[in-house]
Amino acid sequence: MRFTLRQLSYFVAAGETGSVTRAAELVNISQPSVSAAISHLETELGVQIFVRQHAQGLSLTTPGKRLLRAAKESLRAAYELYDVANAAGSIVSGPINVGSFRTFSSLIMPELWRGFIAKYPDAQMVVTEGSEAELLEGLRSARIDIALTYQLNLTPDMSFQPLVEMPSYVLLAADHRFATRSSVRLEELADEPFILLDLPLSRQYFLSMFEQRSITPRIVAETASPSTLRSYVGASLGFSMLTVRPVNMMAENGRPLAYVELEGNTAPMVMGLACLKDMRRPRIVDAFEAHCREVISADHIPGMRGTELGPSRVIADEV
């Protein structure tokens, strides 16, 4: 071969970020070095890997997408050599790209990330945020090694290790008449304006709660941004529903919020780890899964409120 694993890693960084600048920051190398590696691979392999668009950065060509998957698999295979060599010493090293569901990424991932690299300083961890659908596509394209997400509409090509059940909460402004209650029925809010979290799969999940109760929601706003949703609710523009109950009960616009548990036979969301079944799992992925099981419990979900307002339930069995 007339290219190196280092050049492959630069190409993977550029392919995942869509930018030479961000790729250089990710691998801590100069931009010309990343550009040179890409040009060398294109010359050596005889294909155009990227379409260079000045305003939009880099876009992978069809051959480039296939090469990206193959390059990531080659790098995984190379790091397996370290796994073999370090097995006796229980050393975990190498890259790992963790996908995280967008609504809770800012809450749970900082503590998970910090704890993982403190335990395994030779690990190079990257976090990719997205909706459930985006994370599943990232797993299929090998851009993501493992994803922390909800068990929603998982396809047969995915495996899922459940971690904890999370009930749904009605999100209200702190001065709402139901804000001090421990629970509320959706029927009691049927005539009030509703703000919908417009993310793939999440949208269907929350709308199904209305359908089960034969209620037509009075939707006044839809947003894919959890922070915008919280600010709308904080401004008393309507109520919403979330499964994430953060430690910080303030909306981003500085207004206080209340999270009231939803009454009824509503199936809780299950947070866990999704992987592609047929993908070989390097040792670092197993280590990250073990770390998540250690850190996430009914009494402690990083960035979220614990059992003082009603516990979540840890799941021990695989589904």
Side-chain angles (χ1 to χ4, degrees):
M1 291 190 302
R2 286 174 289 186
F3 56 84
T4 66
L5 292 174
R6 190 178 299 277
Q7 289 171 326
L8 283 184
S9 69
Y10 295 170
F11 158 52
V12 168
E16 290 183 334
T17 61
S19 166
V20 169
T21 300
R22 293 200 295 272
E25 294 171 351
L26 185 63
V27 297
N28 195 28
I29 199 69
S30 68
Q31 294 181 38
S33 296
V34 175
S35 297
I38 294 171
S39 296
H40 179 81
L41 287 172
E42 289 183 322
T43 299
E44 178 64 27
L45 298 174
V47 296
Q48 183 176 351
I49 297 174
F50 291 106
V51 176
R52 292 156 178 83
Q53 301 170 322
H54 294 294
Q56 300 176 348
L58 301 175
S59 296
L60 284 163
T61 63
T62 298
K65 292 176 182 178
R66 294 198 297 268
L67 285 172
L68 179 62
R69 290 193 292 269
K72 287 179 69 69
E73 188 62 26
S74 296
L75 291 172
R76 285 193 186 91
Y79 274 102
E80 284 180 3
L81 297 176
Y82 287 101
D83 284 347
V84 172
N86 296 327
S90 299
I91 297 174
V92 173
S93 62
I96 179 172
N97 192 318
V98 177
S100 179
F101 182 50
R102 186 175 291 126
T103 62
F104 56 62
S105 186
S106 63
L107 302 175
I108 196 170
M109 287 311 302
E111 185 174 327
L112 275 179
W113 191 344
R114 182 183 64 180
F116 187 68
I117 61 175
K119 186 183 297 183
Y120 304 112
D122 293 325
Q124 294 100 49
M125 183 168 160
V126 175
V127 175
T128 299
E129 298 180 10
S131 67
E132 297 101 322
E134 289 169 339
L135 294 179
L136 295 183
E137 179 56 32
L139 290 169
R140 291 191 185 96
S141 63
R143 291 184 294 105
I144 297 173
D145 299 304
I146 190 169
L148 186 66
T149 184
Y150 290 125
Q151 187 184 19
L152 281 177
N153 296 340
L154 292 178
T155 49
D157 60 337
M158 297 290 164
S159 65
F160 186 80
Q161 294 290 332
L163 294 173
V164 65
E165 286 185 348
M166 301 175 66
S168 294
Y169 294 92
V170 174
L171 182 60
L172 303 168
D175 59 358
H176 192 281
R177 68 186 188 282
F178 294 150
T180 58
R181 288 178 41 176
S182 59
S183 63
V184 64
R185 293 182 297 110
L186 197 54
E187 289 82 355
E188 298 176 90
L189 296 161
D191 296 328
E192 299 199 16
F194 178 64
I195 300 166
L196 176 63
L197 180 63
D198 188 18
L199 288 174
L201 305 183
S202 293
R203 177 189 181 94
Q204 294 92 312
Y205 174 77
F206 290 117
L207 288 179
S208 70
M209 296 182 184
F210 289 94
E211 294 173 3
Q212 291 166 9
R213 295 164 173 81
S214 299
I215 299 172
T216 300
R218 199 157 70 88
I219 300 174
V220 296
E222 301 180 19
T223 177
S225 167
S227 60
T228 300
L229 182 147
R230 288 190 292 267
S231 291
Y232 285 163
V233 173
S236 299
L237 297 176
F239 77 98
S240 189
M241 289 187 290
L242 290 173
T243 55
V244 173
R245 183 181 53 177
V247 172
N248 181 6
M249 304 291 278
M250 302 290 287
E252 280 72 2
N253 58 1
R255 294 179 179 272
L257 299 168
Y259 292 76
V260 180
E261 190 160 356
L262 179 66
E263 289 184 23
N265 298 321
T266 301
M269 295 277 262
V270 178
M271 176 194 288
L273 296 165
C275 278
L276 193 64
K277 282 182 179 178
D278 294 335
M279 184 67 70
R280 287 184 298 172
R281 284 172 53 126
R283 189 175 182 189
I284 193 170
V285 173
D286 292 332
F288 181 76
E289 180 180 314
H291 176 67
C292 288
R293 290 191 176 280
E294 179 182 331
V295 172
I296 298 173
S297 69
D299 295 325
H300 177 70
I301 302 176
M304 302 185 200
R305 295 177 75 84
T307 57
E308 69 274 14
L309 294 180
S312 301
R313 185 170 72 83
V314 165
I315 305 172
D317 299 325
E318 181 180 356
V319 297

